[in-house]
Amino acid sequence: MIKENNDLALKNRFRGYFPVVIDIETAGFNAKTDALLEICAVTLRMDNHGNLRFSSTTHYHIQPFKSANIEPLALEFNGIHDPFSPLRGAITEMEALRKIYKIIRKEQKLADCKRTIIVAHNAAFDLSFIIEASKRCNLKRIPFHPFTTFDTATLSGLAYGQTILAQACKASGIEFDNKKAHSALYDSQKTAELFCKIVNKWKNLGGWPILPK
């Protein structure tokens, strides 16, 4: 029984990587110049049957950094009409990232994983903003792998023939409310649900665990 549970441990599923689902909302597409306005991180765990499940969710609204560029079209898209409104309850990039990184490191250690890897829809975009924000805040210990990611746009294209998050969720049988979309909290939870469904489906089809010959 101990051997079986160890084989199904999260640390053995992704080569020692600890997957964390990330979604961000921004004030544009340029990670170096445009404001990071919202972030949500969903950590994952493996149950006793080797199925991937939600573990924790951490969500923050973020204040635009000093001299940040803000594109009106981006705000229209994500519905953040006034990034400077005190009603947002926003905190600084440094506060948000430090709190998220602390949670990630704690759960990564508990899972006995070696490094964290970002799971996101079009993951290169999210990773680029997080790296640039970490540089601005002079945060040296970034838990995420610097270039390797799990991109659910690619995975859902393979699994369901869809690359748009809403369409991929619908194709997989996951409910998706377009009125709630483009919120980091909602999109990260749907991305996490999609990722778990793809990973668990692959296991149920016999693709994992890989048994020794």
Side-chain angles (χ1 to χ4, degrees):
M1 179 62 72
I2 295 175
K3 177 66 164 55
E4 180 182 0
N5 288 340
N6 186 59
D7 287 343
L8 298 178
L10 182 60
K11 65 180 180 179
N12 295 322
R13 180 61 181 86
F14 303 111
R15 203 172 62 84
Y17 285 136
F18 180 66
V20 175
V21 181
I22 295 288
D23 192 80
I24 60 173
E25 296 300 329
T26 69
F29 297 106
N30 190 323
K32 293 181 181 295
T33 61
D34 299 341
L36 175 62
L37 299 176
E38 191 181 357
I39 186 170
C40 188
V42 180
T43 60
L44 304 173
R45 63 178 178 83
M46 197 77 84
D47 68 17
N48 291 332
H49 302 287
N51 291 312
L52 208 56
R53 307 293 186 195
F54 282 46
S55 180
S56 68
T57 301
T58 309
H59 171 243
Y60 296 108
H61 293 282
I62 299 176
Q63 301 166 359
F65 65 90
K66 187 177 180 180
S67 74
N69 179 59
I70 296 175
E71 297 289 342
L73 287 177
L75 300 186
E76 183 179 337
F77 179 76
N78 60 35
I80 303 174
H81 301 298
D82 182 4
F84 301 97
S85 171
L87 298 177
R88 295 183 66 225
I91 61 177
T92 65
E93 287 182 329
M94 182 174 288
E95 286 180 281
L97 291 178
R98 278 181 169 173
K99 289 179 178 180
I100 286 174
Y101 289 176
K102 183 178 181 180
I103 291 170
I104 288 173
R105 290 192 187 98
K106 179 181 178 180
E107 295 199 31
Q108 176 190 308
K109 184 177 181 180
L110 288 173
D112 197 23
C113 290
K114 297 177 181 178
R115 186 145 199 186
T116 296
I117 187 169
I118 278 184
V119 180
H121 210 73
N122 299 312
F125 177 83
D126 299 74
L127 179 59
S128 68
F129 269 85
I130 287 174
I131 288 175
E132 291 301 324
S134 297
K135 288 179 181 178
R136 284 192 295 270
C137 298
N138 200 30
L139 297 176
K140 304 298 185 182
R141 295 178 61 227
I142 304 173
F144 300 112
H145 194 285
F147 55 84
T148 301
T149 62
F150 291 149
D151 187 352
T152 52
T154 301
L155 292 171
S156 60
L158 171 66
Y160 301 112
Q162 299 288 344
T163 58
I164 297 172
L165 180 59
Q167 297 303 319
C169 285
K170 291 175 182 177
S172 69
I174 297 171
E175 292 185 5
F176 194 94
D177 187 345
N178 288 309
K179 294 180 180 178
K180 296 180 180 178
H182 311 307
S183 152
L185 178 59
Y186 186 77
D187 286 358
S188 63
Q189 291 175 332
K190 289 302 173 181
T191 300
E193 196 173 348
L194 179 63
F195 181 67
C196 289
K197 188 152 192 175
I198 292 172
V199 171
N200 295 339
K201 181 176 181 178
W202 179 250
K203 180 187 75 69
N204 292 336
L205 290 172
W208 187 80
I210 300 174
L211 300 175
K213 295 182 180 180

